[in-house]
Amino acid sequence: MYKLMIVEDELLMRVGIRSMLNWEEHNFYVAGEAGNGKEALELALEVTPDLIITDIKMPIMDGLELIQEASCLLKSCKYVILSNFDEFHYAKEALKLGAVDYLIKSEITETSLVDLLTTIEEKLKSERGTQTNVPFMTHDHSKSLRHLKDSFFQDVVSGFIDEKDMAAKAEEMLLRIRSDKLVVIQFVVNYYEEAKRKYVEKGEKLLRFSILNIMEEIIPSKWEKEIFVESSSAYWIIVNVLPGRESVQADLNKLCNKLLSSIKDFMNLSLSAGVSTIVSGFHGIRKACGEAEFALRQSFFKGSNQILYYADVIQAPARKEVNGMLSPEQERNFLKLWVSKDNQKAEEFLEEIRSNLEVQEADESSIRKQYIRVMETIHSHLSRAAERGKPSFTERLPYEIVLKGEYWEDIHQDMLAHIAYYFKTDSLIMQERSYTDLAIELMDKYYAEDISLQSIASQIRVNPSYLSRLFKQEKGENFITYLTRVRIEHAKAYLLSRGMRVYEIAHKVGYHNYTYFSKIFKKSVGFTPEEYRERQQNSCNP
């Protein structure tokens, strides 16, 4: 495998080139980077690269001087020039000095880089004869150092390696961290599925390499660190605490903020971080990872783009499971809210639910269940036509919003949008249907409530007298007769079971006065509720 150096004074350009492809798949790996020719020359003498890709215009020492100086010291190294269109005369000069090719910055693509590497590899092979690829690791040519380090990290976290082997492998892989005073930080990409869609053409690999490379570049050299990739959405950084510092958390906060802001600036991605306490020894990494993950899980309550410290979150009261059912009062309040279709009242209703959950210190599962109950309550009030409709304000299904939402605040706001959407949809559908049909649907659904001609007319926004005449004309019976019939039919069904007392059934079908219920029932059916139940029981048991 051949060693590559990238020399470019513009950080974004340098990171962009490094992130453009997986160099190791093309038999090269990035052995070093520099921001000017002088720094590059010193580093080149140390790492002896096979290829240097360098900008022309740089401070202190430009690319032409670098090629001129390095050519005398590194006989087999190849040089490729980075230039802009208006710097082409410099590129010509570089070619005279021995550069093998040039790249126009604005036209660099993955394909052009791969073609370049193929050409340079052939030149290196032909010049070296049988001495071709230099192995990346002498004991295993097939694995890159990145892969080996990631595997080592997974073994440590999983507990598949003992402390003695940890130290040996750490030394073998030249880990940049010491085993004392270690802190583990887990970074996750917020809204990862959305972020991934931005990279759909290049794939997750580009996303992963870009984040990794920016992290490598941005972390100041004063930090001894190792970066491990768990997945395209999760990254681990292990650092040694800076010596002689009064506030470790202040240092870590500055480091994390720098990383979060850089990823945001360069890639327009939001990250959150979970930070462990200080541990000693490589064996402590497993414990620290658990702490970082625990801290990061609290981001559900805190929101995205947060830096969460285990030492802080462990002091907060423990979250617990709470009852996710809506109270009878909340059910009644929502019914009033649904009738009024008032978005402001909906916001207040949902805010009260959130406040109650916070006071109860509800855990994540309980919070999701509570919002599911709200969703179910919404759907129980929908007109049949509205229920068949699919929300157009979101690509996700309503329950998916609650079950897969990353943060409490997002679920809350999505629920508000969901309620507002169905307020509007239900109102539009009600306008398109006949007043009689709407009244019947409401009676069929809310027969057990304290409803009347006036309340139904108010909900569908029509004059009560007009509704009464229209109902009689279209259905051949008046409003009260229909409502009574619906209630009695449900009462008859309840009476088939002896699990409920008659007065309980009366209340369940909308009659709060047992005597009145019994009188209405006998008038409609010909028997009292008790007689009807007895006759039905006898007919089932001859």
Side-chain angles (χ1 to χ4, degrees):
M1 191 169 288
Y2 299 103
K3 291 180 281 187
L4 162 70
M5 271 185 59
I6 301 173
V7 187
E8 165 65 63
D9 62 322
E10 293 182 18
L11 172 61
L12 190 56
M13 188 67 192
R14 191 163 72 241
V15 170
I17 292 172
R18 189 204 308 154
S19 305
M20 197 164 285
L21 74 160
N22 184 349
W23 298 89
E24 293 169 13
E25 289 182 353
H26 305 283
N27 231 10
F28 286 80
Y29 71 95
V30 180
E33 296 179 36
N36 62 68
K38 184 175 183 298
E39 181 185 331
L41 184 60
E42 293 172 357
L43 184 60
L45 294 176
E46 182 181 336
V47 303
T48 59
D50 301 292
L51 169 63
I52 294 177
I53 298 178
T54 179
D55 190 13
I56 292 180
K57 283 189 169 183
M58 293 182 294
I60 305 176
M61 178 188 286
D62 65 24
L64 295 179
E65 293 176 273
L66 171 62
I67 294 173
Q68 200 166 16
E69 293 279 344
S71 296
C72 301
L73 302 169
L74 303 168
K75 299 298 184 181
S76 62
C77 184
K78 307 301 177 188
Y79 305 90
V80 172
I81 290 297
L82 294 171
S83 70
N84 295 313
F85 279 114
D86 57 356
E87 298 170 345
F88 191 64
H89 58 288
Y90 290 113
K92 286 183 177 179
E93 186 64 28
L95 293 171
K96 290 179 183 178
L97 291 173
V100 295
D101 210 337
Y102 65 91
L103 293 167
I104 303 298
K105 291 183 181 181
S106 60
E107 296 183 347
I108 297 176
T109 63
E110 183 176 346
T111 301
S112 65
L113 278 177
V114 171
D115 291 343
L116 176 70
L117 294 180
T118 301
T119 301
I120 291 175
E121 183 180 7
E122 289 175 357
K123 288 180 181 291
L124 290 168
K125 281 181 178 179
S126 64
E127 289 178 7
R128 298 181 186 183
T130 56
Q131 188 180 358
T132 55
N133 294 2
V134 179
F136 197 56
M137 294 291 288
T138 54
H139 70 285
D140 189 345
H141 297 189
S142 65
K143 293 184 178 180
S144 70
L145 186 58
R146 162 59 50 205
H147 177 73
L148 290 171
K149 284 184 176 181
D150 289 341
S151 297
F152 168 74
F153 175 73
Q154 292 296 335
D155 287 345
V156 170
V157 174
S158 303
F160 293 153
I161 182 172
D162 60 36
E163 190 173 355
K164 183 180 177 181
D165 288 339
M166 284 182 203
K169 282 187 173 292
E171 184 177 354
E172 181 183 342
M173 288 183 290
L174 306 175
L175 288 189
R176 296 169 289 177
I177 51 175
R178 293 172 284 105
S179 63
D180 63 311
K181 292 188 176 181
L182 294 165
V183 172
V184 174
I185 311 169
Q186 184 185 31
F187 290 88
V188 297
V189 179
N190 302 319
Y191 311 111
Y192 175 67
E193 290 303 318
E194 180 182 332
K196 189 169 65 173
R197 284 196 290 272
K198 297 178 184 177
Y199 290 80
V200 65
E201 292 183 3
K202 297 289 185 180
E204 292 181 56
K205 188 181 294 184
L206 175 62
L207 177 64
R208 183 166 60 250
F209 279 118
S210 298
I211 292 174
L212 180 62
N213 290 335
I214 290 172
M215 286 181 166
E216 287 280 7
E217 184 70 40
I218 292 300
I219 298 176
S221 57
K222 63 183 178 181
W223 288 95
E224 296 173 276
K225 88 275 186 185
E226 280 294 347
I227 304 174
F228 302 98
V229 181
E230 179 180 330
S231 66
S232 298
S233 63
Y235 304 80
W236 297 87
I237 295 180
I238 305 177
V239 296
N240 287 111
V241 172
L242 295 176
R245 308 287 290 192
E246 292 184 6
S247 176
V248 173
Q249 184 159 323
D251 291 336
L252 292 168
N253 210 49
K254 186 176 180 181
L255 172 64
C256 291
N257 273 312
K258 186 178 181 67
L259 283 166
L260 264 57
S261 61
S262 297
I263 298 291
K264 182 67 176 177
D265 291 342
F266 292 146
M267 301 182 68
N268 194 27
L269 294 178
S270 168
L271 269 63
S272 290
V275 187
S276 76
T277 59
I278 300 172
V279 298
S280 292
F282 290 127
H283 65 280
I285 290 175
R286 185 180 186 187
K287 170 178 174 287
C289 286
E291 293 179 350
E293 284 185 318
F294 179 86
L296 202 51
R297 281 198 295 273
Q298 307 313 301
S299 63
F300 174 80
F301 309 98
K302 304 292 185 181
S304 62
N305 199 38
Q306 300 287 319
I307 302 169
L308 300 164
Y309 293 85
Y310 178 79
D312 294 336
V313 301
I314 198 64
Q315 294 178 19
R319 294 275 178 174
K320 53 184 177 290
E321 184 177 355
V322 301
N323 181 11
M325 300 296 292
L326 294 181
S327 68
E329 182 182 0
Q330 287 174 321
E331 292 276 7
R332 287 193 296 271
N333 288 341
F334 190 85
L335 176 57
K336 295 175 185 176
L337 171 66
W338 188 260
V339 171
S340 68
K341 300 288 194 293
D342 187 326
N343 286 324
Q344 179 61 39
K345 295 290 185 184
E347 191 170 337
E348 292 171 5
F349 173 82
L350 214 56
E351 188 57 45
E352 181 185 351
I353 286 178
R354 174 158 62 179
S355 297
N356 290 339
L357 289 168
E358 196 60 74
V359 168
Q360 296 176 81
E361 296 168 349
D363 61 15
E364 180 179 338
S365 175
S366 297
I367 290 169
R368 292 186 190 274
K369 287 178 182 177
Q370 181 79 88
Y371 282 86
I372 286 288
R373 295 286 186 267
V374 175
M375 191 78 73
E376 289 172 343
T377 302
I378 293 171
H379 288 178
S380 73
H381 290 284
L382 286 176
S383 65
R384 294 186 183 95
E387 196 166 12
R388 288 193 296 269
K390 180 182 178 182
S392 59
F393 63 86
T394 175
E395 293 179 0
R396 294 182 296 168
L397 295 172
Y399 288 98
E400 187 181 1
I401 290 171
V402 179
L403 294 171
K404 295 187 178 181
E406 292 183 39
Y407 307 105
W408 186 357
E409 179 62 24
D410 292 345
I411 293 171
H412 189 86
Q413 294 302 324
D414 282 342
M415 184 66 70
L416 278 176
H418 185 73
I419 292 173
Y421 170 81
Y422 272 130
F423 276 0
K424 183 178 179 180
T425 302
D426 204 57
S427 296
L428 289 172
I429 289 173
M430 287 174 68
Q431 290 172 17
E432 295 172 358
R433 302 177 64 199
S434 78
Y435 291 126
T436 301
D437 288 341
L438 290 171
I440 285 176
E441 183 168 319
L442 290 172
M443 283 190 280
D444 288 346
K445 184 175 288 186
Y446 302 118
Y447 64 88
E449 304 292 334
D450 188 17
I451 59 175
S452 64
L453 175 65
Q454 285 72 26
S455 67
I456 295 294
S458 173
Q459 183 163 346
I460 62 178
R461 295 177 174 83
V462 64
N463 180 276
S465 297
Y466 176 69
L467 176 61
S468 179
R469 291 196 304 272
L470 192 64
F471 199 98
K472 177 72 173 177
Q473 179 183 329
E474 291 187 8
K475 300 302 176 183
E477 61 183 333
N478 63 37
F479 178 92
I480 292 299
T481 302
Y482 181 87
L483 177 59
T484 300
R485 182 158 55 82
V486 170
R487 286 172 165 173
I488 295 302
E489 288 302 316
H490 280 88
K492 287 162 68 175
Y494 286 127
L495 286 165
L496 293 178
S497 169
R498 289 197 175 273
M500 295 175 66
R501 297 177 184 273
V502 175
Y503 72 85
E504 292 175 328
I505 293 172
H507 187 80
K508 200 166 184 65
V509 297
Y511 294 104
H512 305 300
N513 183 308
Y514 165 71
T515 303
Y516 180 67
F517 165 67
S518 184
K519 181 180 177 181
I520 292 294
F521 191 92
K522 184 171 183 179
K523 183 179 178 180
S524 300
V525 182
F527 305 99
T528 65
E530 291 84 357
E531 289 171 344
Y532 178 82
R533 169 177 273 174
E534 191 66 33
R535 289 174 67 87
Q536 293 299 317
Q537 290 292 330
N538 290 338
S539 66
C540 293
N541 301 292

